[in-house]
Every structure is written in C-alpha cells, then in structure tokens.
Amino acid sequence: MPAITPAQLSALQQNTKNIRNICILAHVDHGKTTLSDSLLATNGIISSKMAGKVRYLDSREDEQERGITMESSAISLYFKLVKAVNTEEAQPKTAESEYLINLIDSPGHVDFSSEVSTASRLCDGGLVLIDVVEGVCTQTISVLRQAWIDKVKPVLVFNKMDRLIVELQMTPQEAYTHINKILEQANAVMATFFTGDLMEDEARKMMEAKEKRNKEKVEEEAFDANKVYDWSMEERDDSNIYFDPAKGNVIFASAVDGWAFRVQQFASLYAKKLGFKEQVLQKCLWGEYYFDPKAKRVILPKHLKGRNLKPMFVQFVLENIWAVYGSVVIEPDRERVEKIVGALKIKVLPRDLRSRDPQNLLSAIFSQWLPLSTCVLLAIIGQLPPPADAQRVRIPKILYPNIQHNDNEPLEPTNDVEKALYKCDSSFDAPVIAYVSKMFAVPVELLPENRRTQMTAEEMRERGRQQRELRAAQALLDQSGEGIPLTPEQLNQGEQEGEASEPASEEELKGERLIGFARLYSGSIRVGQKLYVMGPKYDPKYPKKHVSEIIVQNLYLIMGRDLEALDEVSAGNVFGIGGLEGHLLKNGTLASVINEDVRNMAGVKMDTSPIVRVALEPEDPTQMDKLVEGLRLLNQADPCVEVMLQETGEHVILTAGELHLERCLRDLKERFAKIEIHASEPIVPFRESIVRGDLSVNKEKEGVTVPRGQAEIKINSKFLTLKVQTVPLPSRITDFLMTHAASIKAIVEEKIASNKKSQALDEEASETGETGPVAPNHVLSPAELEQALRKEFVEAKKEGGPFAHWWDETIVDQIWAFGPRRIGSNLLVNRIPGYIRKPFFQMSTKNSTEVAEDHADEVLKVDNETSSSLSILDIDFHVHTGFQLTTLAGPLCAEPMTGVCYIVQGIEFHPEEMMTPGGEAIDVRSRLHIIQGQVIVAAKEALRQGFLDWSPRLLLAMYSCDIQATAEVLGRVYGVISKRKGKIVSEDLKDGTSFWQIKALLPVIESFGFSDEIRKRTSGAASPQLVFNGFDMLDEDPFWVPTTEEELEDLGEKADKENLARKYMDTVRKRKGMFVEKKLVEHAEKQRTLKKN
C-alpha cells in the first residue's frame, strides 16, 4: 500500500506555495528513470530495495525491453519537511511543512526530443543529469537549451559517481579535477545561451534606434574619427545562471547505489568539528581551498608554500566516499567496514555485513548516511521556485515570446487575465487558463471509473457487521415463528451492495481514450465545467476561429501508469483532463472566457523535423477504415509524428527516426488500429540541383555557339516561342533562401491576404523540401529581406566565376517568384523585354492602371509591340505555373529542386502562324485555354532541358551522428560508418577518460539498422545519436559514363564501378513507378580459365 493516498495528495494541491513542478532532463542512459525510482520509494510506491531495477515510470513494454524511456510520464510525490525552530524555551520546537512534488520523467533519446519540449513547458524547475564519465553530451546541451528557452530553473546532478571509483578507478584528486572540468563545460553552455540572448537584445535595440532615426528622417552622419562613440553593451547580471556547488544547485549522486549529497550536508557535519561557521565552510568546500591542520584555518593555493595539501572537497568529502567503496567493493574488509559504520553512527544489520553481494552492504550504509531521496527532495524544495514565483518570470515569455526583457524585471500585467496568470491565482472567481502540452492514450479498462475498486478495511468491517445483523434478524424470526423468513437472495443483498458495481460489458471497455496532459496556470477547474479550447492557430483578433466549447468530463491525478479521479484541480498543478477528443489535435489552450485578453499559449517548437516517411497499408484491404482510425489516434497521441494522405492515395507517417518509427508501428498494431499492417521501405527525401562541373560555359548547337543552359521551345500550336536561360545559383544565395523560407512564406501569405483570396498558404516548410535543421529564426520584414538578399548577390558577384555577370544589381527587382510552392530556394527571374513586373518585395497596394485589372496588382507595364491577338498577359501565369511544377518534381527522380535560377529571356509571338493557308486570321482567343495548357507544357520542357544541360547532382538528407566509444572499438565504429557512406567530421579524446567523441555525417538513406549494427559490432560499447542535419550534395553525376582513355582503362567500357548517384536515382524512380533504364544480359560470355577443373 502506498504511504500516502491519492485523496491526501489532492488535498495538498490547494496550497500553491508548497507545490513544485519539476522535470528530469538528460542525455540517453544518464540515469533519469533510476533516479526517479529512488524518489518513488520514499512514498512507498515501490520497495526501496527494488529502486533502480523496476524503472517504474517506464510503463510501456518496449521501454522495459530496450531500457530507455520513450514517453514522458508524470507522478505526484509527497514530502514532509521537519525543521527545528529556535525558541527561548528549553525544549526545541519543530515545524512541519508538507510539500507536493509533481515530477515528470522525460526521454533522453534524440528521436523523442519533442517529448522533452512538452514536459519542460509544464514545469518550473528541472533536474539536469550528467553521467560523470561521459560528461556533457549532445542531448545534455539540447535539454539545457530547452530549459533556457522555457525559463525552467535547472539543478545539476552529477550521476553515476560510483563509475569513477569502480570502473575508471580514479583517485579522489583525479575525480575532483574531472568533475570540475565537466562543471566548467556545463557553465560554458549556459554562458553561450546568455550571451546569445544579450547580443540579440543589443541588435534589436540598434535596429529600433535606426528605425526611429529613419522615421524622424535624421540623415546618417559620416563616421568621425575624432568623435567619441558609445560602443558599450548593457551590463547584465549573469551570476544566477551558473551551477555552483557552494550555492546548493549541484548534487553529486549515484542513483543505482541510492546515495546523493550536496556540499551543505558536509558543511553542517564538519562545522562543529572544525569550529567554523556553516555558511563559511559551505563556500570553502568546493574550489581551490585547502585546510591548514596546524593553523586550523582555510588557505588559498598561493599560501601553500610547497606543502602537499589536498583541496577541502577531496579531503573532507570524496576520501570518505572512496573509503566506503574501497572497504566494501574494491578490497572487501569486514573489520574496516565495521569501523566506518561505527564512525558514521549508523546501524547496519549483521546479515547485511555478512552478505556476499557488496551492493546490499553499500545500499545499507549509504541509505542511512547519504540518502538520495532526502538530498534531491531538499534541493528541489530549496532551489526550485513554487508556481507563483515561477509564473511571474515564465508567463510573460510564453505570452509575448518576441518581447525581450530582463528576468529580474519581468513585464507588468496589463489586464485582469494577466494578473491572475502572473500570481497563479487559484480563487474561484479567477479566470481558468490551462495549457495542454500533449495528448496521451490510455486503455479504457485502466481508467479509474472502469476499474474494480479494492475495498478498504473499514468497508470490509462495515459489510461484516451488516451480514451479522441480517443473520441475527433471521434467527429471531425463526424463534418467534412470526413474519416472513428471509430468502438466501435477500441474505446476499448485503454482499451485492458491498461489491463494486459490475463494470461495463467487455466490448465497451475495449479501445483507447485520449487524455490531455495539462498544467493549470490560474483559477480552478471542476468536473462538469464549461471551457473553451483554443488550437495552436488561435488569434485573439478573430475570437471565433479555431475555438470550440467543451464540458470537462474527467480530471485525473497522474500517478505514472495509473490515473486517480479528481473532482477539482487548483492553479499551479499538473493534471490529466478528459473530454478533449475531437476538439484538440496535439496541444492547445483551455480558458473559461474568450476575449482579447486571453492569449494563445500553444505551439511547441520541435527541435527535430520528422524526416523518415513510411507508407502504410493493412494486410487485409477490407480493414482500411481501422487503419485510418488508428492513424487518427496516433496523430493525436504522439506530439512529433505527422500523418499525411498523399496525392497518390497512400497513407504516410513522418517520424523523427528509426526508433520513433518502430514505436509508432508497434502502437498502431497493438493499440490503435489492432490490425496487421504492411509498412513500405522508408521513403527518404532527396533534392535535385545542378553544378557546372567540367563543362564549358558555352556549347555548340547546330554550328552556332550558344550559352549552355539556354532552351528555346515552340509550343505545339507554334503560336509562340519561349526562351529560358538556366544558371546554377551560388551556394551562399541557396543557403540564404533556405534559412529565410519562413520570411518568404510570410510575404507570400501577406500578398494572398491583400488580394482577398481565401486560400491560405498552409504548406509547411518540411513539405516544400526546405527542411533544414529546425532553428528558431525570426521573420524578416520584406524590406529587410530585400536588403539582405541584395548584399548576398553583391558578395556573389565579388567572388567572380563564370556566372558573375548574371548577378547584376537589377536581379533582385526582377525576381518573379520563388519555388517550389512559392517559398523554395529556386528563382524565376523576369528579363522579358517590355514586360515589367512589380518587384517581388514591394508590398504597396497601389495597383497599375496601365494593364488589365486581373494583372494590376503584379504587373506595372507591358509594351504591346506586336499587334497579334495574343498578349504576354494571357500566358504569364502559366509560365509561372510551369516553373512551380518543374521545381517541385525535378527531371532526375521527381524530387524538389534547390539552387537553380531560371531567367526568362523572352516570349516571341509568331503572327504568321496565326493565319490559315488562305490568309485568314485564326480565332486565337477561342483556343486560349488550349494555348495556355501548351505554355505550361513548353515551360516545363524548357526548364527541364536547361537543367539537364548542366551537370545534375542529387542532394542527400544527412544525419549528424554523435558516438562515444573507447579506443578498443574505434576501428569497428569507423568500419560501420565508412560502409554506410558516412564521413568523419571530428574525433576528440574526452579529457580524463578513455572515451573518444566521434562526430560524423551519415546519409539518412543508409542509416536504417545503423544503430543496431554499431551495437552488435562493438558488443554494446558504442551507441549513436542521430540528428537531422539538412541536405548535403553527392558530388557525382548520375549520367556519367567513362569517355577518356584513362577512365576507360581504369573502369572498362561497362564502368563496373557502381555509380552511387545513379543507384539512388533509380531506387526513387522505381518506387515512384517511373521509367528505369536497365540492361538485361541475354547471352553472357562464359568465363574462360587456363586451368581445367
């Protein structure tokens, strides 16, 4: 039985001062779930002896099998703190405080980093765990960044301290130096976040000042060498962001052995012995401070005078822990152990002393001397803020993410809703504002309302008393012979009343129910209350859009794998809420009122973009409806997965990686769809581009030298000819356009809105093919973007090269469109004589009066030199359409293009073709729709020919791969990486360890099975972390064949050496059902050997 009941926990939810909402963040396998086990043991949820082995919060079967966390799960813990109060009376008094700790355990694997962002949004503080052997890893930096963005106050935990003693066999002095280096690395990471924010603020202030000057029309003064300018930056206090053991925000722990300590514990222990004040000793127990035994005082390194003294942390703290391990594990010595036990004044049972398993003895000693749970819970209460204090800092950042302000001087509330949010008002009249960070699925039979309730001892006694009374009444009636005797059915009535009501039929209890994982920021929620649900796209300006109304059906206290029903939840708590199905997809905001004051809190930015696509179909085609329903549930229950129905009719899921894909397929088969599913090979995106390669800039065509990439196409009806020049874009321009895809998208959306067209550009950047590593880049205004693009073209021209003459000053004004989907990294440039378009970045609504109304918003002027019945205005939209279609599906394997510039040099009309042989004019206007279709086809063909005139290239989706491995298995790791066409970027030996940190780039298409292969080849000694890293060019022409004598001699006529680009291209073409050129050997030559068999 738990030490505390859910009813008591729900009572604690009312006192917001004594609530702490925390999450455990770390790299994979750094001990998060093991640490949480030790905390659960204090509440009697699991046995203290099983802590670290049960991994209670890993409730999924595949989590237990793999030994890693895949979903963030929450639990509420009770902690009673007893403090001694100094009074004048002889007997010291004690004050008791009861705390409620809402703990969320999050995954560390990079595939599930979206689960980390959902957890951190709900919490006010976090425990950041670092494995002291592996040090600061990639995901450690990611979770620290997430904590920084969400204003979650971190406490650092150095976990697995026992590995320094048992595995690496370090001396206390070496261990101190090693830990100090890791602490410096963690603080350096925090400093980069701080300076990054500071520099952004300064840049923003400078831009605002410049805009202000521009508005006031103050002319820019020339730089004066004699004038003194103020270059100083604003001073900002950064002392509170760093980890320092003396402050108490660093814990040293070994979760598997069940011990942890902070410097304060040893300071209070030694203060009386050494005769120091506790506060002074606390500051001296970490750092370069030494204890002079003769003078009985603390000295600094400069006063050592050659004496071989140890730092106080080594002498008073580490050596004691090393002594316990030395006597118990390394060189077992029972007599010495008994002395240590006596000196520590703790009681160890004789059976533990005699135990052959040293783990039992270690746990027995440390659980009394340095208990992990007490140390961690005291740190949580002392270092991490209660909801009211945390929301004062965090809520302004959530409501106004673009307004920068100092954390020490948070924004003032501007209305009643903000006042309630900032002070975490839990009163009944306060507006209810809650944030749902994700939806999670729970089997219907496990919900509290459907569970058989276990009878308490009181209820059983009451039931027995009723039975005895009934039997006594029957006995009396039998003796008197009066009345109607009770039948056995009536006797059993008490039993039927005592038992819990029978649950609903088996069929009704099948399936999954979606529960919202939420945090209440103000007010109180009750079951049956009416609330409004606001989706991520909700805007206070349009209060009727993206809003729906719900009735709260259930409220739950989340206890790991179990849920407990609640009637009411107060502000500042993490809870589960039922009744959101069909109203909320992944995340959103709940509110009791809808007005301009209620702002949207939703919209978690994903650190990783889903890159691995798989097409799904049921093994039995008749079960397609079950698959569709299963995909709907999966899409809601997983914050990172994306579900799409492609134009081909395929159901496709996009996942963050291979492990994430496995989990999604397992969930579909076993929980959501409950059918056998056939999954295709993973569909990996490619990009198509062109380079000059070894080709000349010009080429011979019908005896005339023409620029390479130029194509002239006459449409089928021969009424006009399209002339297009294709040029590779400089890499700096391509990178710029990919980085600022969001800014281009905003401009296009604004244009559509101003044209009052209803269709919104809703395609995500990931669909367009412009997915790079997801970075939080702010959207530039059209003027800023135009200015920046001009600078890039100027730089590209300075760099020179055969294409420099194309990048003149007018090119930015001549940009017709971006593609594909109007926001990609390809350009369509208008250089048609006499056809002048409005510059792309010009957002003024003033329309031209010289052209037809339907073109007035885009075209400024058209010179009608020809008197033909066809005009350029009839076909310009269709040239643009041809450009968008071609860049979306390139000629190599119908994948999106990148880095290509198409310059439309002219559209020539042929009036002579618009006449019949008899000299009569053809009615062209009646055939206009046919001609427009032909223009699209001609434009596509011209762009395709121009593309293939250059040397085409494929761009591969790449993973950045981080691996930690020992020197013994390094060769095998390199072997696996090179076999899968990866390339090593860097390799570094981690200071003070035998671990090598390897960074590599690996094509996504070659990554399937990579993690398993590395683990097999290294016997589990190395485990990779794969993060999507954008696209990288494969420098190989898919159409290349050997032509020179050297190439033919080296490779032979058949070029037996595999062309990797062609292999990838043919794989994609085959999957898409396109034509694949393949040679089939009918009559092979028999191999002749001199030696007879």
Side-chain angles (χ1 to χ4, degrees):
M1 280 291 289
I4 181 141
T5 63
Q8 289 169 289
L9 285 175
S10 60
L12 288 170
Q13 289 187 343
Q14 311 298 324
N15 184 5
T16 51
K17 284 184 183 176
N18 287 3
I19 294 173
R20 300 288 184 275
N21 297 308
I22 66 150
C23 51
I24 304 182
L25 308 166
H27 188 79
V28 68
D29 283 338
H30 279 204
K32 298 178 292 299
T33 310
T34 310
L35 180 84
S36 58
D37 267 8
S38 299
L39 301 181
L40 302 185
T42 58
N43 276 218
I45 295 167
I46 58 172
S47 158
S48 56
K49 287 190 177 179
M50 294 302 290
K53 300 181 185 77
V54 176
R55 300 204 316 277
Y56 182 82
L57 291 177
D58 284 353
S59 52
R60 293 170 58 97
E61 193 181 325
D62 45 357
E63 286 179 326
Q64 290 288 344
E65 283 171 12
R66 286 179 175 271
I68 61 169
T69 306
M70 295 185 186
E71 285 183 350
S72 48
S73 47
I75 197 158
S76 297
L77 302 174
Y78 164 81
F79 183 57
K80 185 191 276 188
L81 183 63
V82 180
K83 279 187 180 176
V85 181
N86 294 327
T87 56
E88 294 175 3
E89 296 172 25
Q91 282 188 336
K93 284 189 175 180
T94 57
E96 288 186 358
S97 305
E98 293 183 323
Y99 290 89
L100 175 68
I101 294 167
N102 296 317
L103 176 85
I104 302 178
D105 181 25
S106 65
H109 196 285
V110 68
D111 278 13
F112 309 111
S113 52
S114 57
E115 291 277 353
V116 178
S117 52
T118 59
S120 65
R121 278 296 290 267
L122 301 181
C123 296
D124 305 322
L127 298 175
V128 178
L129 272 68
I130 295 181
D131 183 335
V132 283
V133 175
E134 293 185 8
V136 176
C137 296
T138 47
Q139 279 300 100
T140 314
I141 298 169
S142 299
V143 297
L144 283 170
R145 185 185 291 111
Q146 191 67 50
W148 177 265
I149 291 166
D150 288 333
K151 300 290 177 200
V152 171
K153 191 176 179 185
V155 166
L156 197 65
V157 181
F158 285 118
N159 196 20
K160 304 194 182 183
M161 289 279 290
D162 56 293
R163 291 183 69 190
L164 297 180
I165 310 167
V166 181
E167 276 184 41
L168 301 186
Q169 296 182 347
M170 287 184 173
T171 62
Q173 180 66 48
E174 288 168 346
Y176 165 69
T177 311
H178 176 69
I179 295 166
N180 204 2
K181 279 182 182 172
I182 297 172
L183 184 65
E184 284 173 9
Q185 286 174 7
N187 282 333
V189 170
M190 297 302 289
T192 57
F193 302 151
F194 176 79
T195 50
D197 276 12
L198 190 62
M199 289 171 79
E200 269 188 32
D201 285 4
E202 289 297 322
R204 195 175 284 105
K205 282 176 188 170
M206 285 173 72
M207 286 297 291
E208 284 171 4
K210 192 176 178 183
E211 282 174 15
K212 193 177 177 183
R213 283 202 305 274
N214 290 344
K215 280 180 184 174
E216 293 168 5
K217 295 187 178 175
V218 176
E219 288 186 15
E220 289 276 331
E221 57 181 55
F223 179 75
D224 185 359
N226 300 319
K227 189 177 176 183
V228 178
Y229 290 89
D230 180 22
W231 297 102
S232 62
M233 288 177 76
E234 175 202 346
E235 286 290 325
R236 196 180 287 182
D237 180 29
D238 62 345
S239 59
N240 60 338
I241 69 166
Y242 298 119
F243 301 112
D244 182 4
K247 283 186 192 170
N249 61 0
V250 178
I251 299 170
F252 303 88
S254 168
V256 77
D257 288 339
W259 60 266
F261 67 86
R262 288 189 296 164
V263 169
Q264 284 88 326
Q265 285 168 262
F266 282 92
S268 59
L269 196 69
Y270 284 110
K272 291 176 185 174
K273 283 186 183 179
L274 301 175
F276 289 156
K277 284 184 180 175
E278 195 177 315
Q279 284 82 2
V280 176
L281 191 56
Q282 188 176 315
K283 288 177 183 174
C284 301
L285 267 181
W286 177 264
E288 297 297 313
Y289 296 102
Y290 301 85
F291 181 66
D292 187 345
K294 290 180 183 175
K296 293 264 175 120
R297 64 193 184 91
V298 177
I299 57 171
L300 292 168
K302 60 184 179 183
H303 299 124
L304 281 174
K305 297 175 182 174
R307 285 179 291 178
N308 189 21
L309 294 179
K310 296 171 185 172
M312 290 177 70
F313 184 72
V314 174
Q315 186 180 349
F316 294 118
V317 181
L318 293 187
E319 285 192 346
N320 291 324
I321 293 166
W322 257 245
V324 175
Y325 273 92
S327 307
V328 176
V329 181
I330 297 166
E331 293 174 3
D333 185 341
R334 189 171 169 184
E335 287 181 15
R336 202 160 163 227
V337 169
E338 286 173 358
K339 280 184 187 175
I340 290 169
V341 168
L344 293 173
K345 296 175 184 173
I346 56 177
K347 290 178 182 177
V348 177
L349 296 172
R351 73 156 183 260
D352 287 331
L353 284 169
R354 290 195 301 270
S355 172
R356 290 186 180 182
D357 184 5
Q359 193 71 36
N360 288 347
L361 185 52
L362 270 180
S363 300
I365 294 170
F366 279 121
S367 61
Q368 296 176 66
W369 179 32
L370 302 171
L372 180 138
S373 52
T374 310
C375 170
V376 172
L377 292 169
L378 282 169
I380 288 167
I381 288 160
Q383 293 291 324
L384 302 180
D389 297 353
Q391 287 181 203
R392 188 70 190 88
V393 176
R394 293 186 69 223
I395 293 291
K397 182 75 178 170
I398 293 171
L399 296 181
Y400 306 102
N402 296 325
I403 297 177
Q404 295 297 320
H405 57 84
N406 196 338
D407 289 351
N408 300 327
E409 302 162 11
L411 297 174
E412 290 300 316
T414 56
N415 53 56
D416 293 340
V417 172
E418 284 182 17
K419 279 178 190 171
L421 284 169
Y422 287 9
K423 65 180 184 182
C424 189
D425 189 352
S426 59
S427 59
F428 285 107
D429 54 347
V432 172
I433 307 287
Y435 171 66
V436 181
S437 76
K438 70 165 187 171
M439 305 287 282
F440 64 99
V442 178
V444 174
E445 64 265 21
L446 295 184
L447 291 172
E449 53 265 31
N450 298 329
R451 271 203 311 256
R452 275 181 177 270
T453 51
Q454 191 177 355
M455 293 179 74
T456 62
E458 277 295 320
E459 287 169 339
M460 289 172 84
R461 279 195 288 273
E462 178 63 25
R463 181 174 153 189
R465 189 180 59 74
Q466 288 174 357
Q467 289 276 349
R468 284 193 295 276
E469 283 177 5
L470 280 169
R471 292 187 189 283
Q474 189 181 25
L476 281 169
L477 287 169
D478 286 347
Q479 285 171 10
S480 63
E482 295 175 7
I484 304 161
L486 286 169
T487 62
E489 284 79 13
Q490 287 169 307
L491 266 175
N492 292 333
Q493 190 181 353
E495 293 178 31
Q496 288 166 5
E497 285 172 6
E499 286 177 11
S501 62
E502 280 294 311
S505 67
E506 290 286 324
E507 290 165 15
E508 285 179 27
L509 292 184
K510 284 182 181 175
E512 301 277 334
R513 181 76 54 81
L514 287 165
I515 307 294
F517 193 29
R519 159 85 183 261
L520 186 56
Y521 288 109
S522 75
S524 294
I525 293 185
R526 291 173 299 284
V527 175
Q529 189 173 350
K530 187 177 83 173
L531 292 178
Y532 296 99
V533 179
M534 295 174 274
K537 291 183 180 178
Y538 172 78
D539 189 339
K541 293 175 191 172
Y542 310 103
K544 291 185 180 178
K545 285 187 179 179
H546 306 292
V547 174
S548 58
E549 199 177 288
I550 63 151
I551 301 292
V552 179
Q553 292 176 4
N554 312 92
L555 293 170
Y556 301 107
L557 177 70
I558 304 172
M559 296 293 288
R561 61 193 81 179
D562 298 323
L563 297 172
E564 300 294 341
L566 294 173
D567 294 323
E568 185 184 339
V569 175
S570 300
N573 283 290
V574 174
F575 63 100
I577 179 168
L580 297 177
E581 256 184 282
H583 296 276
L584 199 62
L585 182 60
K586 290 180 190 281
N587 55 37
T589 312
L590 304 177
S592 56
V593 290
I594 289 261
N595 54 38
E596 288 185 3
D597 298 342
V598 179
R599 299 182 70 87
N600 190 7
M601 293 182 172
V604 173
K605 286 188 176 71
M606 298 300 169
D607 286 340
T608 54
S609 53
I611 189 70
V612 180
R613 299 179 178 218
V614 167
L616 304 177
E617 60 182 11
E619 293 278 3
D620 179 357
T622 59
Q623 295 178 320
M624 180 58 87
D625 55 335
K626 289 185 180 177
L627 176 65
V628 172
E629 178 62 19
L631 286 170
R632 186 188 67 78
L633 285 168
L634 176 71
N635 193 27
Q636 282 191 273
D638 192 316
C640 190
V641 78
E642 286 182 28
V643 175
M644 289 165 51
L645 179 63
Q646 289 194 323
E647 293 94 336
T648 54
E650 287 178 303
H651 289 277
V652 171
I653 59 169
L654 284 81
T655 59
E658 198 179 356
L659 187 61
H660 186 211
L661 173 63
E662 277 183 41
R663 191 192 80 180
C664 290
L665 292 178
R666 186 166 183 165
D667 277 352
L668 271 175
K669 287 176 187 174
E670 296 177 6
R671 296 176 62 191
F672 301 135
K674 292 186 178 175
I675 57 170
E676 284 302 311
I677 291 168
H678 173 70
S680 72
E681 288 293 312
I683 304 166
V684 177
F686 289 87
R687 297 289 170 267
E688 299 180 18
S689 190
I690 50 173
V691 293
R692 182 190 167 199
D694 301 329
L695 302 169
S696 60
V697 180
N698 297 320
K699 65 172 182 177
E700 290 282 330
K701 188 179 180 184
E702 297 172 4
V704 183
T705 303
V706 294
R708 186 176 291 280
Q710 193 181 82
E712 289 189 26
I713 300 287
K714 191 178 270 192
I715 67 170
N716 289 352
S717 54
K718 300 182 180 179
F719 294 157
L720 62 96
T721 302
L722 197 63
K723 189 177 177 185
V724 181
Q725 174 69 45
T726 307
V727 187
L729 270 179
S731 56
R732 63 184 306 126
I733 306 289
T734 309
D735 295 342
F736 176 85
L737 295 178
M738 289 176 80
T739 309
H740 294 92
S743 304
I744 299 168
K745 181 180 176 181
I747 293 170
V748 174
E749 283 183 337
E750 196 177 328
K751 284 186 174 184
I752 289 173
S754 65
N755 291 349
K756 296 177 183 176
K757 290 181 182 177
S758 58
Q759 69 268 25
L761 193 75
D762 236 0
E763 292 90 352
E764 294 296 328
S766 59
E767 269 186 59
T768 67
E770 301 309 327
T771 19
V774 178
N777 54 344
H778 63 288
V779 175
L780 299 178
S781 70
E784 289 171 337
L785 190 64
E786 183 183 10
Q787 193 179 356
L789 190 56
R790 280 186 195 281
K791 281 182 186 173
E792 291 295 330
F793 272 115
V794 168
E795 291 298 319
K797 189 162 187 177
K798 280 182 188 173
E799 286 171 7
F803 307 115
H805 66 282
W806 294 107
W807 319 130
D808 55 21
E809 294 172 8
T810 60
I811 191 161
V812 176
D813 296 326
Q814 293 171 339
I815 290 174
W816 188 337
F818 297 91
R821 297 187 198 267
R822 292 185 274 187
I823 55 174
S825 54
N826 304 289
L827 289 181
L828 181 65
V829 176
N830 165 39
R831 286 192 176 164
I832 302 170
Y835 175 65
I836 302 166
R837 293 181 63 84
K838 187 190 286 186
F840 182 85
F841 298 102
Q842 188 180 318
M843 302 303 289
S844 68
T845 53
K846 189 179 177 184
N847 291 341
S848 171
T849 55
E850 294 185 27
V851 293
E853 196 177 328
D854 58 338
H855 285 73
D857 56 331
E858 290 183 356
V859 181
L860 295 177
K861 190 179 177 186
V862 177
D863 293 340
N864 288 320
E865 293 173 3
T866 59
S867 57
S868 71
S869 50
L870 267 182
S871 161
I872 195 167
L873 296 178
D874 295 324
I875 57 163
D876 56 352
F877 288 150
H878 307 88
V879 173
H880 177 215
T881 304
F883 164 73
Q884 295 295 348
L885 291 171
T886 309
T887 50
L888 184 61
L892 296 184
C893 50
E895 290 287 313
M897 287 186 192
T898 182
V900 185
C901 178
Y902 290 112
I903 301 167
V904 185
Q905 293 181 324
I907 295 174
E908 187 184 340
F909 294 96
H910 306 299
E912 68 278 4
E913 296 288 349
M914 300 180 194
M915 310 286 282
T916 62
E920 291 179 18
I922 299 170
D923 185 7
V924 176
R925 305 304 296 180
S926 64
R927 300 187 192 177
L928 190 60
H929 59 287
I930 299 171
I931 294 166
Q932 288 171 342
Q934 290 174 348
V935 168
I936 294 175
V937 173
K940 284 172 69 178
E941 182 59 26
L943 304 187
R944 196 187 74 83
Q945 282 185 16
F947 183 96
L948 293 174
D949 230 2
W950 296 102
S951 186
R953 292 287 185 272
L954 275 180
L955 278 78
L956 311 183
M958 302 296 278
Y959 275 137
S960 71
C961 171
D962 283 289
I963 305 173
Q964 274 197 348
T966 53
E968 295 85 58
V969 297
L970 216 51
R972 292 174 197 167
V973 170
Y974 287 168
V976 176
I977 291 171
S978 59
K979 176 187 163 188
R980 291 174 174 268
K981 317 293 187 295
K983 53 186 177 187
I984 307 295
V985 177
S986 68
E987 51 176 11
D988 297 304
L989 183 64
K990 283 212 160 191
D991 294 339
T993 70
S994 59
F995 283 96
W996 287 81
Q997 181 78 30
I998 302 154
K999 283 188 183 294
L1001 283 176
L1002 187 75
V1004 174
I1005 197 164
E1006 299 284 353
S1007 69
F1008 303 104
F1010 175 70
S1011 302
D1012 288 342
E1013 189 176 354
I1014 282 242
R1015 276 195 286 270
K1016 281 175 190 169
R1017 291 288 300 277
T1018 61
S1019 305
S1023 188
Q1025 286 273 84
L1026 300 171
V1027 183
F1028 181 58
N1029 193 49
F1031 290 87
D1032 197 22
M1033 187 177 285
L1034 176 63
D1035 201 12
E1036 203 172 333
D1037 188 337
F1039 302 119
W1040 180 84
V1041 286
T1043 48
T1044 63
E1045 280 184 28
E1046 290 86 358
E1047 288 168 353
L1048 286 166
E1049 192 177 317
D1050 187 26
L1051 300 165
E1053 283 182 24
K1054 294 171 185 167
D1056 295 329
K1057 182 178 175 243
E1058 186 181 35
N1059 183 333
L1060 203 58
R1062 187 170 191 91
K1063 177 189 154 190
Y1064 291 148
M1065 183 182 81
D1066 285 348
T1067 306
V1068 179
R1069 289 181 74 91
K1070 194 174 175 185
R1071 172 169 59 77
K1072 293 185 175 180
M1074 298 166 74
F1075 172 71
V1076 177
E1077 189 181 330
K1078 203 169 187 180
K1079 289 178 182 175
L1080 294 174
V1081 179
E1082 282 188 18
H1083 306 290
E1085 293 176 9
K1086 187 178 179 184
Q1087 185 178 358
R1088 298 172 186 276
T1089 55
L1090 293 173
K1091 188 179 176 184
K1092 290 183 179 178
N1093 292 331

